[in-house]
Amino acid sequence: MVFEVIPAVDMRGGKCVQLVQGVPGSEIVSLEDPLAVALDWVEKGAKTLHLVDLDGAIEGERKNSSIIEIIVSRCREKDVHIQVGGGIRSFEDAASLLELGVSRVILGTAALQNPELVKRLSNEFGSSCVNVALDAKNGKISIKGWTEECAQTPVEMGRKFEELGAGSLLFTNIDSEGLMQGVNPVPTKELVESVRIPVIASGGVSSLQDLQVLKETGASGVVVGSALYTGRFTLEEAIEYILK
């Protein structure tokens, strides 16, 4: 399995942004043209893009759909995989994205509140199209744009959603997210070792060495945002580094 570096294109108010720990108003990056950003990552070697409608994640209603549609259309022409999350709350939401050509939908709040949605989508479109986002703070799952904490742990939920048909998991360690202070590999490794499906890591990457640390957990890839946007390293450097 090839460990993959996946650039994040997070959208809020029609712009490409990077927030600190998902808090609105904490933008450390704000770029006017998400399409140009996405195409630039593809040009620099990205094989998969991670698109998030932050308005959708926080407010529960997708607000950047038209931009996402354009990005998906343009990137499909270049044989690039697209995973999309943020505000996907129903079967119809997810189905419309998959029918548009999205490679996999990322379900967070919707999966936690309606686990059968994962099973239904997996049966209809195949497990590879269904990714469940497990965002954790202090070892517990968070939902609704990280504004509410649940009692369950990532390992408990990871096993449950694997049984329901999820083809992969996206694990974000909120304690590290956006702080640019490095990664804590322990919770990622615990989840990887608890399930048989691929786990994509996210949160806290600030150096090339962090990529290696996460690769050694057994994760299948890592979503990188702030480190790329603030110039800690380039995508080309990251791809070359993990291939060594």
Side-chain angles (χ1 to χ4, degrees):
M1 181 173 61
V2 177
F3 184 80
E4 190 174 13
V5 179
I6 305 171
V9 182
D10 297 349
M11 285 160 277
R12 182 161 171 78
K15 298 180 180 180
C16 176
V17 303
Q18 287 290 296
L19 306 180
V20 177
Q21 297 203 305
V23 178
S26 66
E27 289 85 350
I28 57 173
V29 172
S30 182
L31 303 171
E32 292 291 334
D33 190 347
L35 173 61
V37 172
L39 294 176
D40 187 52
W41 291 133
V42 173
E43 186 69 24
K44 291 175 177 174
K47 300 300 182 186
T48 302
L49 292 178
H50 177 79
L51 308 185
V52 177
D53 187 330
L54 289 174
D55 293 303
I58 296 167
E59 299 173 25
E61 182 180 349
R62 291 187 291 139
K63 299 288 184 67
N64 298 280
S65 299
S66 58
I67 303 170
I68 289 173
E69 287 181 15
I70 296 169
I71 293 174
V72 171
S73 175
R74 292 291 298 275
C75 288
R76 282 186 69 195
E77 299 169 0
K78 301 177 182 294
D79 199 28
V80 173
H81 295 287
I82 304 288
Q83 57 187 41
V84 176
I88 303 172
R89 297 290 193 264
S90 68
F91 178 86
E92 289 73 23
D93 280 342
S96 66
L97 286 165
L98 292 169
E99 289 164 357
L100 183 69
V102 168
S103 303
R104 55 182 169 247
V105 290
I106 303 168
L107 304 175
T109 300
L112 271 293
Q113 294 183 334
N114 179 18
E116 285 300 310
L117 176 60
V118 173
K119 186 174 183 179
R120 184 181 175 192
L121 285 167
S122 178
N123 289 339
E124 183 78 19
F125 294 97
S127 62
S128 64
C129 294
V130 185
N131 175 287
V132 174
L134 301 176
D135 302 339
K137 188 172 186 178
N138 300 319
K140 300 294 185 180
I141 295 293
S142 289
I143 61 171
K144 295 186 178 178
W146 302 350
T147 61
E148 293 185 17
E149 187 175 296
C150 302
Q152 298 91 343
T153 67
V155 167
E156 290 169 342
M157 289 295 94
R159 288 173 174 161
K160 176 177 181 176
F161 287 117
E162 180 179 28
E163 292 177 3
L164 286 169
S168 59
L169 302 171
L170 173 69
F171 177 65
T172 300
N173 185 0
I174 301 172
D175 297 320
S176 303
E177 170 66 25
L179 298 181
M180 303 289 287
Q181 295 176 357
V183 298
N184 174 8
V186 175
T188 301
K189 186 175 178 63
E190 288 177 349
L191 181 58
V192 168
E193 293 178 347
S194 299
V195 297
R196 297 181 300 276
I197 57 177
V199 175
I200 301 168
S202 175
V205 171
S206 61
S207 68
L208 293 172
Q209 290 72 27
D210 287 335
L211 300 178
Q212 183 63 31
V213 168
L214 289 173
K215 182 179 179 181
E216 290 173 359
T217 67
S220 66
V222 58
V223 173
V224 185
S226 298
L228 288 173
Y229 286 97
T230 59
R232 292 293 183 98
F233 52 80
T234 67
L235 181 58
E236 296 95 329
E237 288 171 339
I239 293 171
E240 181 180 358
Y241 184 85
I242 62 168
L243 290 176
K244 290 180 180 177

